[in-house]
Amino acid sequence: MNWIGDSPWLAWLGVALVLGAIEAATVDFVFVMLAAGALASAVAAAMGAGFALQIVVGVVVAVVLLLVVRPFLKRKFNENYEADTIGARGLVGRTAYVLQTVTDTEGRVKLGGETWSARVADAADRIAPGEQVRVVSIQGATAFVDRVSDQHVSDKTGE
């Protein structure tokens, strides 16, 4: 292990690579900040700094990145995630076709290529098979729907 003493920057580079690999598995923006700290330590070692200074440089860089850059990255990535309309949340606002009469207690609709249990959003309403409806909300495995007027039909159909 004499190469570590001869080339400490290489050891720091190895630490940075290991931390980068862990980040690839976790994707939480913690280990990448620690890897950047290790890279800063590698630069300090390459410039001839002592081991204590290498540690201080790495810790300072990692802490600054964790406190400043990580929150920004997390916010940016969570922003994009919440904008995605996937899963049941993505079905709200789409149109569906009634397969079995929909009332406030029962009914079936074809939504997103699948058959869903459905209830009317307005308890006084009753929607016959063949009509087009709009999903107002999803609760569990039940779609709550309203009638669609001809001028409000969207491109997001249930087929």
Side-chain angles (χ1 to χ4, degrees):
M1 289 261 178
N2 193 23
W3 63 271
I4 291 177
D6 295 338
S7 305
W9 65 271
L10 199 54
W12 285 116
L13 186 61
V15 169
L17 289 173
V18 168
L19 291 169
I22 293 170
E23 178 63 36
T26 63
V27 193
D28 198 33
F29 302 117
V30 172
F31 290 99
V32 72
M33 304 304 160
L34 298 176
L39 286 175
S41 293
V43 169
M47 295 174 74
F51 185 70
L53 184 57
Q54 294 171 26
I55 296 290
V56 170
V57 166
V59 169
V60 168
V61 168
V63 168
V64 168
L65 290 173
L66 283 168
L67 295 176
V68 177
V69 176
R70 183 177 180 267
F72 170 76
L73 288 174
K74 291 287 282 186
R75 199 170 36 252
K76 186 70 175 165
F77 277 84
N78 285 338
E79 211 175 77
N80 292 341
Y81 175 73
E82 290 172 6
D84 290 341
T85 52
I86 59 173
R89 190 174 66 215
L91 297 174
V92 174
R94 291 185 69 177
T95 55
Y97 296 94
V98 178
L99 300 174
Q100 175 188 347
T101 302
V102 180
T103 66
D104 62 338
T105 58
E106 66 181 353
R108 295 265 185 255
V109 295
K110 184 164 188 152
L111 172 62
E114 299 176 342
T115 301
W116 282 69
S117 60
R119 307 290 179 267
V120 289
D122 178 11
D125 206 2
R126 180 181 178 94
I127 305 171
E131 290 191 49
Q132 193 174 32
V133 292
R134 180 168 320 287
V135 178
V136 175
S137 68
I138 302 280
Q139 294 178 10
T142 303
F144 285 81
V145 298
D146 269 341
R147 292 181 189 276
V148 173
S149 60
D150 291 334
Q151 66 267 19
H152 292 120
V153 175
S154 78
D155 296 325
K156 294 165 59 173
T157 60
E159 289 189 316

